[in-house]
Amino acid sequence: MPTDAGPSSPDQKPEAPRPLPRKLTTIFCADVQGYSAQVEADEVGTVQRLKLYRSEMIQEIERHHGRVVNTWGDGLLAEFSSPVEAVFAAVEAQRRVAARNAALKLDAPGTPPLQFRIGINLGDVMVDGDDLLGDGVNIASRLEALAEAGGVCISGTVFEQVRKKLDFGFDFIGSREIKNIAEPVPAYRIQVDQPGRASAQPPIYQRPQQDDRQPYSERDEAQDSDQAIRKWRRNALRGAVVITFLALINLFTSRHSIWFHWPLMGIALMLALRYPYGVDPRRMWPLWRQD
């Protein structure tokens, strides 16, 4: 028969805890700007409005196949398998909250609005039961703090996934240093009420096309002027060589009949017609310049 092994030896090391599983997901983090001040001014009314507004936000999250991970105070954490769905849910939630605030302004003019800020990041996280932990969550929380009241701020990883799939405008607000994150995180604000194409991208995301046209500047004008001057100088030197050659032929073949002045007049007229308009004559030949 098996016998009881008894208590473990004091020298026996405890089994090391297993590492938490990880996954790649889209983290959605939201809170209310100035919530503490509003609770202090009107605790009951603020909490009631928070519950109503947050329930509508949760409806948008679930409608776009997201999962609410946790709520605390005025905060909310959710996850999505798709960055596109996360951004859709954030924009629609902010629009519903804005409509609620507009109606509240008409019904109770003196009541301050509740305005959410939302940050979204696509990153690797650790899974602890139903909770999410790790740098991916921390970055989303930091992006939330960068969002404007009623706005949405996303990371560069989310932007790369949604920029060609959504008809929203994006404003690049710089690469931000985040505590305990080795590299700066590119951040974008979504133009919630102004759909359009992405703008102000950082250099690493710029893909200039060969047919892009830049505004004509004073520097471009100066370069064009220098090219015109060099071209006119070449034509003048060629004309001088031709006239010299014709003059020598004229002098050696018929000294008593001068005819080379006719081609000279033609070449001089051609050079006059091709003279760069508006250029100072002192710029035409370096020896004439007085520096």
Side-chain angles (χ1 to χ4, degrees):
M1 296 179 62
T3 59
D4 187 3
S8 61
S9 171
D11 296 333
Q12 184 178 357
K13 295 182 180 180
E15 184 181 355
R18 293 183 179 180
L20 294 174
R22 310 185 71 97
K23 68 176 180 179
L24 184 68
T25 190
T26 306
I27 305 98
F28 175 114
C29 195
D31 76 349
V32 177
Q33 186 179 46
Y35 179 73
S36 298
Q38 293 199 36
V39 168
E40 185 177 356
D42 179 14
E43 182 178 25
V44 175
T46 301
V47 171
Q48 288 178 346
R49 283 184 286 123
L50 172 65
K51 292 176 64 177
L52 174 62
Y53 288 15
R54 192 157 60 185
S55 67
E56 295 197 354
M57 181 174 290
I58 291 174
Q59 289 176 16
E60 288 298 331
I61 291 171
E62 294 175 347
R63 190 165 71 91
H64 289 88
H65 314 291
R67 178 182 75 90
V68 176
V69 176
N70 197 2
T71 61
W72 65 95
D74 62 321
L76 180 146
L77 181 68
E79 70 164 332
F80 294 79
S81 59
S82 164
V84 174
E85 294 286 3
V87 172
F88 259 130
V91 172
E92 290 301 319
Q94 290 290 39
R95 289 175 176 173
R96 290 181 65 171
V97 170
R100 283 282 184 181
N101 285 327
L104 178 67
K105 186 176 181 180
L106 295 176
D107 298 337
T111 305
L114 283 181
Q115 294 182 301
F116 283 88
R117 301 176 300 180
I118 299 176
I120 303 176
N121 178 47
L122 172 63
D124 188 79
V125 298
M126 294 182 290
V127 181
D128 185 8
D130 292 333
D131 205 1
L132 301 178
L133 307 169
D135 291 342
V137 178
N138 295 338
I139 292 174
S141 178
R142 175 59 178 151
L143 293 170
E144 169 211 292
L146 295 175
E148 298 175 336
V152 181
C153 186
I154 63 175
S155 64
T157 55
V158 175
F159 174 79
E160 279 296 287
Q161 297 297 319
V162 305
R163 65 189 182 91
K164 293 182 179 180
K165 299 179 178 68
L166 300 178
D167 191 27
F168 301 135
F170 302 89
D171 292 322
F172 179 63
I173 60 174
S175 294
R176 301 305 178 99
E177 299 284 347
I178 295 180
K179 186 178 180 181
N180 299 326
I181 303 298
E183 297 182 357
V185 177
Y188 295 79
R189 286 181 180 145
I190 298 179
Q191 300 170 8
V192 175
D193 297 323
Q194 299 177 5
R197 298 186 64 182
S199 63
Q201 301 176 23
I204 58 173
Y205 293 115
Q206 286 181 348
R207 294 178 173 81
Q209 300 178 356
Q210 293 183 355
D211 60 348
D212 287 347
R213 297 183 179 180
Q214 302 296 331
Y216 192 73
S217 63
E218 293 182 359
R219 182 178 180 181
D220 297 330
E221 184 178 358
Q223 291 177 350
D224 290 347
S225 177
D226 291 341
Q227 290 178 0
I229 290 172
R230 287 194 293 269
K231 183 177 180 180
W232 190 89
R233 285 177 184 170
R234 289 195 298 268
N235 290 333
L237 288 173
R238 291 168 183 166
V241 171
V242 171
I243 291 301
T244 302
F245 180 73
L246 293 176
L248 291 174
I249 293 177
N250 188 180
L251 291 176
F252 284 108
T253 57
S254 55
R255 298 182 180 180
H256 302 289
S257 176
I258 305 299
W259 50 262
F260 77 90
H261 61 282
W262 295 112
L264 172 63
M265 294 174 61
I267 292 175
L269 178 62
M270 180 194 68
L271 291 174
L273 293 175
R274 295 187 176 183
Y275 184 85
Y277 178 77
V279 175
D280 189 339
R282 290 175 296 181
R283 294 185 59 197
M284 301 306 296
W285 301 103
L287 294 178
W288 296 2
R289 300 182 61 175
Q290 298 179 359
D291 295 331

